[in-house]
Amino acid sequence: MELWYTEKQTPGLGLSCKIKETLYRTKTDYQELAVLDTFQFGRMLVLDGMVQTTIADEFVYHEMITHIPMRTHPNPRNVLVIGGGDGGAVREIIKYPDLEKVTLVEIDTEVVNASKRFLPEISSFLEDSRVNVMIADGIEYVRSHEEAFDVIIVDSTEPVGPAVGLFGSPFYEGVFRALKEDGILVAQTESPFFNADLIRTVYRRIKAIFPLAHLYLASVPTYPSGLWSFTMGSKRYTPLEPAGKWSPEDTKYYTSDLHTSSFSLPRFVQDLLKD
Ligand code: SAM
């Protein structure tokens, strides 16, 4: 008998994956969590019926949410990741030789535990001595920090449940205050095909707070529509040319050329950003 998992990405569209095995399933304090072993993408982390990451394509999202801000800043030493309990963003950040500290603030301890148990390729770098894992609400956490971080990365779930506030202006204002005077914010902002309103709204919110706002794209097969957006707010540095001298050489998606080209947007995405 064949077993299939379907994520209903929109009311009229689903992504179906043939399943080898359900490795783990639990209801946490915040969400329903599952780890599935799929034929096409290998192990897959699912929260509330939405694919968060898979072994086969996680590199795209994790490289693009980290290396673009990390190389836009000339010397990032102290970095904050909000969400991201799978550890993929942290794995990319600790590649930077001059990095002093990365703090991961994840609200759900079960995401960290399940990732450590079932997704070691992604999570094992959480054990690095420069990594500080905190189980807390990212919204509260930024409120209690001022001019502390060079880069803040919001690697959040979709705007449901505890992640709703991570897409709001009060949170972005808190992030602005928690960043140093030349700091950079990047947030994952969903699909331009299916989440146009969210992208429009978040871009305007970030543009109203930060001197520079930019949107860039990457292609993630397991995310709705396959085309994913990231929105950056920068206090000083423009991301269009990577400033950081050091560049990671062991990436599978990110390159210095792609850094620049990922900001070249299709016309329908440019239109979302117009006033
Ligand atoms: N790459 C993913 C995506 O775009 O689908 C995101 C993955 S990561 C697992 C998202 C994490 O954000 C989840 O583990 C969730 O528990 C966490 N999260 C949601 N709201 C949060 C909050 N307010 N503070 C900290 N973490 C939060």
Side-chain angles (χ1 to χ4, degrees):
M1 188 180 68
E2 290 188 355
L3 289 177
W4 289 74
Y5 162 73
T6 299
E7 172 180 338
K8 289 182 183 158
Q9 296 186 334
T10 74
L13 176 73
L15 172 77
S16 287
C17 297
K18 192 171 160 189
I19 300 297
K20 287 184 194 169
E21 197 183 350
T22 300
L23 296 170
Y24 186 57
R25 214 174 154 179
T26 188
K27 185 132 186 37
T28 76
D29 289 345
Y30 296 95
Q31 48 215 343
E32 201 181 334
L33 182 158
V35 184
L36 310 174
D37 197 1
T38 71
F39 281 93
Q40 190 67 52
F41 294 108
R43 273 159 284 135
M44 170 185 273
L45 175 68
V46 180
L47 294 177
D48 285 340
M50 289 173 272
V51 176
Q52 301 297 307
T53 197
T54 82
I55 294 296
D57 71 351
E58 56 86 11
F59 67 94
V60 182
Y61 176 88
H62 291 132
E63 290 179 13
M64 290 300 278
I65 202 169
T66 54
H67 295 307
I68 299 275
M70 292 293 286
R71 294 206 63 230
T72 295
H73 195 291
N75 193 15
R77 291 177 186 274
N78 192 10
V79 178
L80 171 65
V81 179
I82 293 173
D86 51 64
V90 165
R91 180 193 64 201
E92 297 303 313
I93 292 164
I94 61 169
K95 289 178 178 173
Y96 286 72
D98 291 338
L99 180 90
E100 285 167 8
K101 190 175 168 190
V102 50
T103 305
L104 178 86
V105 179
E106 161 63 60
I107 204 165
D108 193 341
T109 189
E110 290 296 333
V111 174
V112 178
N113 293 341
S115 300
K116 282 186 175 169
R117 192 166 153 206
F118 296 105
L119 307 169
E121 302 89 333
I122 305 177
S123 63
S124 55
F125 299 85
L126 292 173
E127 308 298 335
D128 188 278
S129 59
R130 290 165 296 171
V131 181
N132 174 26
V133 178
M134 300 199 55
I135 302 303
D137 186 338
I139 300 166
E140 299 295 324
Y141 189 85
V142 294
R143 256 189 227 139
S144 56
H145 287 78
E146 224 168 279
E147 292 192 31
F149 302 101
D150 300 301
V151 172
I152 297 181
I153 292 171
V154 187
D155 181 4
S156 72
T157 36
E158 291 66 15
V160 289
V164 170
L166 297 176
F167 293 81
S169 293
F171 172 67
Y172 298 133
E173 280 157 10
V175 166
F176 188 90
R177 282 192 297 272
L179 284 167
K180 292 183 192 162
E181 59 178 7
D182 58 351
I184 296 170
L185 154 75
V186 163
Q188 76 85 4
T189 44
E190 313 277 309
S191 158
F193 283 103
F194 299 151
N195 311 97
D197 285 345
L198 177 120
I199 290 175
R200 211 182 275 119
T201 305
V202 167
Y203 180 78
R204 281 182 190 151
R205 285 175 181 164
I206 289 178
K207 202 173 166 212
I209 296 167
F210 285 81
L212 299 166
H214 291 275
L215 187 116
Y216 62 94
L217 298 172
S219 183
V220 186
T222 55
Y223 286 174
S225 86
L227 186 66
W228 214 241
S229 75
F230 303 85
T231 305
M232 172 186 283
S234 176
K235 290 192 179 182
R236 184 181 300 168
Y237 307 114
T238 171
L240 304 179
E241 290 290 333
K245 286 185 215 84
W246 185 85
S247 180
E249 282 173 7
D250 61 346
T251 53
K252 288 197 272 182
Y253 192 90
Y254 177 88
T255 66
S256 293
D257 285 345
L258 190 99
H259 181 120
T260 304
S261 63
S262 65
F263 290 92
S264 297
L265 303 176
R267 196 181 300 278
F268 83 99
V269 183
Q270 289 179 27
D271 287 347
L272 297 179
L273 311 183
K274 283 185 180 154
D275 286 331

